[in-house]
Each structure stands twice: as C-alpha cells, then as structure tokens.
Amino acid sequence: MNTAFPSSPTSTPHIIDGKAAAQAVLINVKAAVEAEGLTPGLAVVLVGNDPASAVYVRNKSRRAEECGFLSRQYDLPADASEARLLELITELNADPAIHGILVQLPLPEQINAYKVIQAIDPLKDVDGFHYVNVGHLSTGAMKEALVPCTPLGALHLIQSVIGNDLRGKHAVVIGRSNIVGKPMANLLLQHDCTVTLVHSRTADPAAVCRQADIVVAAVGVPGLVKADWIKPGAIVIDVGINRVETPDGGRLVGDVDYATVAPLSTAITPVPGGVGPMTIAMLMQNTLKAARRLTTGEQPGE
Ligand code: NAD
C-alpha cells in the first residue's frame, strides 16, 4: 500500500492486477459460504442471443458455481414478451432458494428495462440498480445498500493501492451513467472524497481532470483520457471496455490512453485485466450479502 499518496510521478507505475484482486475476493466469498453453511442462490436471466451477453452470463454462472452457490440460468427467446419476463421475476422473487436476481442488459426493445429492474425485490437486486438500492447508496445507508458491482470493484482496487482512508482526495469520475458513473461518484463521496463528475457536456474536461488525485474513466470512448488530462502522481482507474479493429482482427482497449498516461500515474488499471474481473467478483460478494440478510434476517456486519 502506498501511504505517501499521491507520490511524485514515476515512469514505473504500479499496474493494478484486477485478476488477482478478483481472485482474492472470490476466495473469501467461497470461504465464508463454507464457514457459514450458506448456499446463496443466484438466478441470471438472459433474453435473446447477443453473443457478448451470453459470454457474460456464462461467466457469472460459472463463478457462482465455483463459490459454492446455487446457480440457475434462465434463457428466454429474443421475442419474449415483457409480461413473460415480469412473470419469471415474480417467481424468482418468491423463491426461497434464490437470493440474487440479475437480468442481463441490454434487453430487446419490446421490453422496458426500467420496469423490469423495478420489479426485482430490492433485497435480491444484486446488480444494485433498483431505486431502493440507489436511494440507500445516495443516502449513505451502506449496510442496507446493494451497490452496483463495477463501481464497487473499482473502489476496491483504489483502496488496494492507497488504503481505506480516502478522506480529502479529489476524485474525478468521467461518465454519468446510472450503472457506473453516478454510483461511483456516490461511493467516493461516501468515502469522503471531494468528487467531480465530468460528462459529455462538461466544459474543458481535461482541465477538470488534471486536478484529480483519483481519476475513474467510464465513458466508452477509446483512449479519450490522454496524458494532458492527468496530474502527475494520480491513480487512474479505467472502466472502459471498447473493441477496436486492428489488422489482426481487433482488441479491447480502455477509455484511457494507457501508453501516455501510465508513466505519469502512481497506479493504473490495464484493460483487459483491471476493473473487468472485479465486476463478477463483486456480484458474488453482493449475492453473499443478500443471502445472509434473507437467510438470517440480520443486517451484514451486525
Ligand atoms: P454509458 O454510455 O451509459 O455512459 C457513458 C457516459 O460517458 C455518459 O454519461 C456520457 O455523458 C459520458 N461521456 C460520453 N462522451 C464523453 C466525453 N467525450 N467526455 C466526457 N464524458 C463523456 O456507458 P457505461 O455503461 O457507463 O459504460 C462506460 C464504459 O465502461 C463502456 O466502455 C463500457 O463498456 C464499460 N463498462 C465496463 C464494465 C466492467 O465490468 N469493467 C461495466 C460496465 C461498463
């Protein structure tokens, strides 16, 4: 852990290993499941046959099994009606073996995603998208909140580098989506950072970003964040996952121009292998939290 943060700029930044951090979280989840004699149940619902979504869902189901969970996957056809999906959610809400329900997004256009998310029992909303959980997070009711997995994973990585005490750090979050940007900003605020949200209408985002001790980029624009956006010594978390075409078929890149930004930063996440693996690990942690609460009626941490 770097206690003298932010340090002076370095040409050998700490490359944050998201795979190793995720593995450590999964080991803890599995150990807790065994020690507590719990069988958390995770239901993952896939509508349609988008290949990327199918891979995400398969990975989530596989990790759940590895953690000792009951893992159920529900595949609905691409033309499934909203009523059919809502009916399935009602069944899962009532199923005592299921503690976490995840509906893979995006959904086909005949289905209103907002309506579907709000139909999930907030106690089983392991994605943290229900407005009850959004409300818990934004009011600071952290014991009650199920927090969206990607921001939770990003926070975990930040704390793995600079420790749990983030008081007074200036964090700039780029992107204001409900899935990443806004909950990320709320989490950092909860940890006493001074938080600025940068978005597509921000005047001079580079100048705002240059003030940051911590930068979290969640935009979806390959290489948007360049060296002149970064204060030397900053910690840089790249949430972006963007496929770019290359002569040899394409590769994944983040929202940060890694080659120019890395030498300026104290620590940086690579893409792939940074925030990505943490998302699934946090989903397992959220499902364990939901299972504990639904099984024992106890609030986690009591
Ligand atoms: P989104 O499209 O919902 O939101 C993007 C946000 O970026 C918007 O709020 C917009 O205002 C902002 N934005 C767009 N252009 C901008 C610009 N030029 N300057 C500043 N801000 C700008 O996307 P999202 O769902 O939040 O995802 C963002 C990225 O993170 C994507 O690449 C996505 O693939 C990735 N992602 C990764 C994970 C993971 O597990 N690592 C999870 C979710 C999303």
Side-chain angles (χ1 to χ4, degrees):
M1 186 200 310
N2 177 7
T3 46
F5 169 83
S7 68
S8 50
T10 165
S11 57
T12 52
H14 172 60
I15 298 167
I16 302 171
D17 185 344
K19 274 192 203 159
Q23 196 51 37
V25 170
L26 292 170
I27 287 169
N28 281 341
V29 169
K30 188 170 187 218
V33 164
E34 284 169 7
E36 295 170 35
L38 268 178
T39 307
L42 176 64
V44 182
V45 183
L46 175 64
V47 186
N49 36 31
D50 174 66
S53 292
V55 171
Y56 289 139
V57 162
R58 203 176 325 121
N59 287 341
K60 287 168 185 173
S61 300
R62 197 177 296 152
R63 288 288 171 279
E65 282 163 23
E66 286 166 9
C67 286
F69 291 8
L70 167 70
S71 168
R72 285 208 213 129
Q73 187 178 323
Y74 296 84
D75 294 323
L76 300 189
D79 62 355
S81 67
E82 186 180 283
R84 171 69 194 104
L85 181 53
L86 290 172
E87 188 184 42
L88 174 59
I89 288 171
T90 304
E91 285 166 25
L92 295 171
N93 281 343
D95 187 337
I98 294 297
H99 308 104
I101 302 169
L102 182 150
V103 178
Q104 184 66 40
L105 301 177
L107 288 167
E109 59 183 20
Q110 76 275 14
I111 299 178
N112 180 335
Y114 181 79
K115 207 166 154 185
V116 168
I117 290 165
Q118 303 317 324
I120 297 172
D121 180 344
L123 293 172
K124 298 189 178 187
D125 167 42
V126 284
D127 255 341
F129 297 158
H130 193 288
Y131 58 67
V132 166
N133 284 311
V134 175
H136 284 324
L137 171 59
S138 53
T139 54
M142 300 310 289
K143 217 161 70 169
E144 289 77 8
L146 287 166
V147 176
C149 303
T150 300
L152 201 55
L155 176 73
H156 187 99
L157 293 181
I158 294 166
Q159 291 181 319
S160 75
V161 176
I162 57 176
N164 291 343
D165 184 1
L166 305 183
R167 267 177 300 178
K169 302 282 185 270
H170 186 182
V172 170
V173 178
I174 315 170
R176 58 173 160 179
S177 72
N178 290 328
I179 291 174
V180 189
K182 283 184 206 159
M184 187 77 241
N186 267 327
L187 262 183
L188 290 163
L189 197 57
Q190 196 55 41
H191 284 78
D192 297 325
C193 289
T194 301
V195 180
T196 308
L197 259 176
V198 164
H199 50 78
S200 54
R201 300 286 181 268
T202 299
D204 203 349
V208 178
C209 209
R210 263 197 308 277
Q211 298 168 23
D213 302 313
I214 300 167
V215 176
V216 181
V219 186
V221 177
L224 175 76
V225 178
K226 305 271 193 301
D228 65 344
W229 290 46
I230 299 297
K231 175 166 79 175
I235 174 167
V236 180
I237 304 293
D238 191 353
V239 178
I241 300 179
N242 311 294
R243 173 158 287 280
V244 292
E245 296 310 318
T246 59
D248 51 357
R251 66 191 173 99
L252 294 181
V253 299
D255 293 339
V256 174
D257 183 30
Y258 187 89
T260 63
V261 169
L264 284 171
S265 58
T266 294
I268 186 166
T269 56
V271 176
V275 177
M278 289 303 290
T279 298
I280 292 187
M282 290 300 144
L283 175 66
M284 300 308 137
Q285 193 172 282
N286 274 354
T287 306
L288 173 62
K289 178 173 178 172
R292 280 176 174 153
R293 185 161 47 185
L294 286 160
T295 308
T296 63
E298 258 181 45
Q299 295 298 324
E302 272 183 354

